[in-house]
C-alpha cells in the first residue's frame, strides 16, 4: 500500500510567524532539501495531504504544489508538523541536515554522473571527495573550497566568480550566482540567488539578493528579499548574552548567544542599514533607517508608514518579472488578506 503523509500546519509554532506568513514550513529548505522534497525522495510513491485552517494560505500552497491534496479525513500513516522549525533551531542544525541529506543522496546514487570535481581552475582545502559540483556549474579561477569541516555541494547552473571562498558544510541551490563572496560553514542558499560580501551560518531563501559587501550572520532570510550594499547584521550581543527576539508583542528567547536577524519574504533592506542583534523584519517591508532594532511590522514603508498595497504588489510583480516569474492569482489573494489582517 502506498504511504499517506499529512503535512499538518493547523498550528503556528512560536517563532515561525514571519517565515510562514507566505510559505509553509515544509517549503523551507533546511538542508539540501526542503521537507516536501525529502518526503518525495524517501517515499517515491506516497500520497501527500495538506491541512491548514487558513483558506487563502492553503489555496496558494496547493497552487504551488498541485500534486498535494487537501486533507479530507483520510487515514494517514505519517504526520509532519512544524516542530523544531524555529529559525534559530534550523540554523543550529544546518550542518547536520546537509550531511544527512548528502548521505541519503549518496546511498541512492541519485547524483551519479551528475556531479563532478575538476580542480584545474580552483583550489580545494581539505578532501576533494567532499566537494560536489554539478557538471553544469561554472567555477572561475581563484575560487577556494574548504571541505575541512564538512561537504560543499554546488547544484546545477551555479556560477561562482574569482576570489570567492566557500567553507562547508554548505549547499548552494541551482542557478545562484556568487561573486567575490566569503561564506562560512553551516549555510544553505536557495535557488536563483545573487550573493556577495560575507555570509556565515545562515539560511537564505530562493530569489534573494545580497550582491554587495556587508555581513549576514546566523540569520534567516526569506525568498524574494533584497539586501543593499553594506547592510550588516549583528549576531552577537556586546555582553554575550542569550538573544531574544520580538514578533509583534511576543518576546521569544532563542536559547543561543549567536543569532542575527529574521527577514521575511519580499522585504527590502536599503544600503548601509545596520540591523542589531535579534532584529525581526516582517514580510513585505521596505527598510531605509540607518539602524534597526527589535520588531518591524509587516508591510512597513520606510519607518512608521504602511506600504501602499497596490504599490507593493506592483513592485513585487516588477521584481519577479526580472527573474521571469509571475505572481499567481492565489498568491496575490493571500498577500491582500495578509495586508488586511496584520
Amino acid at each position: 500500500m502506498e504511504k499517506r503523509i499529512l503535512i499538518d500546519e493547523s498550528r503556528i509554532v512560536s517563532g515561525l510567524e514571519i517565515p510562514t506568513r507566505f510559505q509553509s514550513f515544509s517549503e523551507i529548505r533546511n538542508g539540501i532539501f526542503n521537507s516536501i522534497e525529502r518526503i518525495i525522495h524517501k517515499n517515491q510513491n506516497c500520497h501527500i495531504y495538506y491541512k491548514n485552517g487558513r483558506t487563502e494560505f492553503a489555496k496558494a500552497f496547493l497552487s504551488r504544489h498541485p500534486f498535494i491534496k487537501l486533507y479530507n479525513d483520510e487515514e494517514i500513516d505519517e504526520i509532519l508538523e512544524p516542530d523544531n522549525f524555529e529559525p534559530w533551531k534550523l540554523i543550529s542544525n544546518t550542518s547536520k541536515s546537509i550531511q544527512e541529506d548528502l548521505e541519503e543522496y549518496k546511498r541512492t546514487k541519485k547524483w551519479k554522473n551528475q556531479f563532478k570535481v575538476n580542480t584545474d581552475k580552483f583550489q580545494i582545502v581539505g578532501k576533494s571527495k567532499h566537494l560536489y559540483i554539478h557538471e553544469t556549474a561554472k567555477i572561475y579561477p581563484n575560487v577556494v573550497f574548504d571541505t575541512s569541516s564538512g561537504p560543499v555541494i554546488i547544484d546545477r547552473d551555479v556560477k561562482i566568480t574569482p576570489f570567492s571562498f566557500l567553507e562547508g558544510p554548505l549547499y548552494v541551490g541551482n542557478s545562484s550566482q556568487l561573486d567575490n563572496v566569503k561564506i562560512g560553514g553551516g549555510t544553505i542558499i536557495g535557488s536563483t540567488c545573487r550573493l556577495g560580501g560575507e555570509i556565515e551560518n545562515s539560511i537564505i531563501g530562493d530569489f534573494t539578493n545580497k550582491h554587495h559587501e556587508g555581513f549576514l550572520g546566523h540569520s534567516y532570510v526569506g525568498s524574494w528579499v533584497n539586501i543593499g550594499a553594506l547592510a550588516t547584521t549583528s549576531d552577537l550581543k556586546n555582553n554575550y548574552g542569550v538573544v531574544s527576539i520580538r514578533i509583534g508583542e511576543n518576546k521569544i528567547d532563542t536559547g543561543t548567544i549567536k543569532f542575527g536577524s529574521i527577514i521575511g519574504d519580499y522585504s527590502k533592506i536599503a544600503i548601509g542599514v545596520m540591523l542589531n542583534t535579534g532584529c525581526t523584519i516582517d514580510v513585505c517591508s521596505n527598510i531605509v533607517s540607518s539602524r534597526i532594532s527589535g520588531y518591524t511590522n509587516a508591510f512597513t514603508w520606510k519607518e512608521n508608514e504602511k506600504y501602499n498595497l497596490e504599490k507593493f504588489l506592483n513592485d513585487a510583480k516588477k521584481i519577479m518579472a526580472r527573474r521571469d516569474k509571475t505572481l499567481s492569482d492565489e498568491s496575490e489573494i493571500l498577500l491582500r488578506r495578509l495586508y488586511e489582517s496584520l
Side-chain angles (χ1 to χ4, degrees), residues 317 320-321 324-328:
K317 289 173 183 178
M320 295 179 73
D324 297 320
K325 298 293 181 181
T326 58
L327 185 67
S328 70

Side-chain angles (χ1 to χ4, degrees), residues 30-33 38 41-42 94-112 115 128-133 147 150-154 168-171:
N30 59 328
I32 295 173
F33 313 117
R38 199 172 286 113
H41 180 74
K42 292 183 177 181
T94 50
S95 297
K96 180 181 178 182
S97 298
I98 290 170
Q99 187 64 60
E100 288 178 350
D101 283 348
L102 179 58
E103 290 302 317
E104 179 66 20
Y105 250 17
K106 288 163 63 178
R107 184 184 66 80
T108 59
K109 299 181 180 179
K110 191 175 180 68
W111 280 351
K112 186 177 180 181
F115 283 70
S128 61
K129 67 179 182 179
H130 298 313
L131 176 61
Y132 301 83
I133 301 178
T147 64
V152 175
I153 301 103
I154 308 299
L170 168 66
Y171 171 76

Side-chain angles (χ1 to χ4, degrees), residues 249-313:
E249 299 299 321
N250 299 321
K251 183 178 180 180
I252 304 169
D253 189 335
T254 68
T256 178
I257 66 170
K258 293 281 283 188
F259 187 74
S261 296
I262 299 173
I263 303 176
D265 297 328
Y266 289 100
S267 286
K268 299 180 282 291
I269 311 298
I271 60 173
V273 174
M274 302 289 108
L275 290 87
N276 284 349
T277 313
C279 270
T280 53
I281 309 297
D282 217 323
V283 297
C284 310
S285 293
N286 184 44
I287 305 303
V288 301
S289 298
S290 59
R291 184 173 291 274
I292 298 292
S293 298
Y295 171 74
T296 299
N297 288 314
F299 295 96
T300 290
W301 173 256
K302 296 182 179 179
E303 294 185 17
N304 299 316
E305 300 178 47
K306 193 170 185 179
Y307 215 143
N308 177 276
L309 178 58
E310 300 307 321
K311 180 175 174 55
F312 164 77
L313 290 171

Side-chain angles (χ1 to χ4, degrees), residues 86-95 167 183-188 198-204 210 215-221 232-237 243 245 254 256-263 275-280:
E86 294 93 332
W88 46 94
K89 291 182 180 178
L90 292 179
I91 289 167
S92 68
N93 289 327
T94 50
S95 297
E167 179 184 17
I183 301 181
T187 296
I188 297 169
E198 185 178 1
I199 300 167
E200 178 181 277
N201 202 190
S202 294
I203 296 175
I204 301 172
K210 181 207 165 299
F215 174 68
L216 177 71
H218 291 83
S219 295
Y220 175 89
V221 182
T232 291
T233 62
S234 167
D235 60 4
L236 181 66
K237 296 171 69 173
V243 179
I245 67 168
T254 68
T256 178
I257 66 170
K258 293 281 283 188
F259 187 74
S261 296
I262 299 173
I263 303 176
L275 290 87
N276 284 349
T277 313
C279 270
T280 53

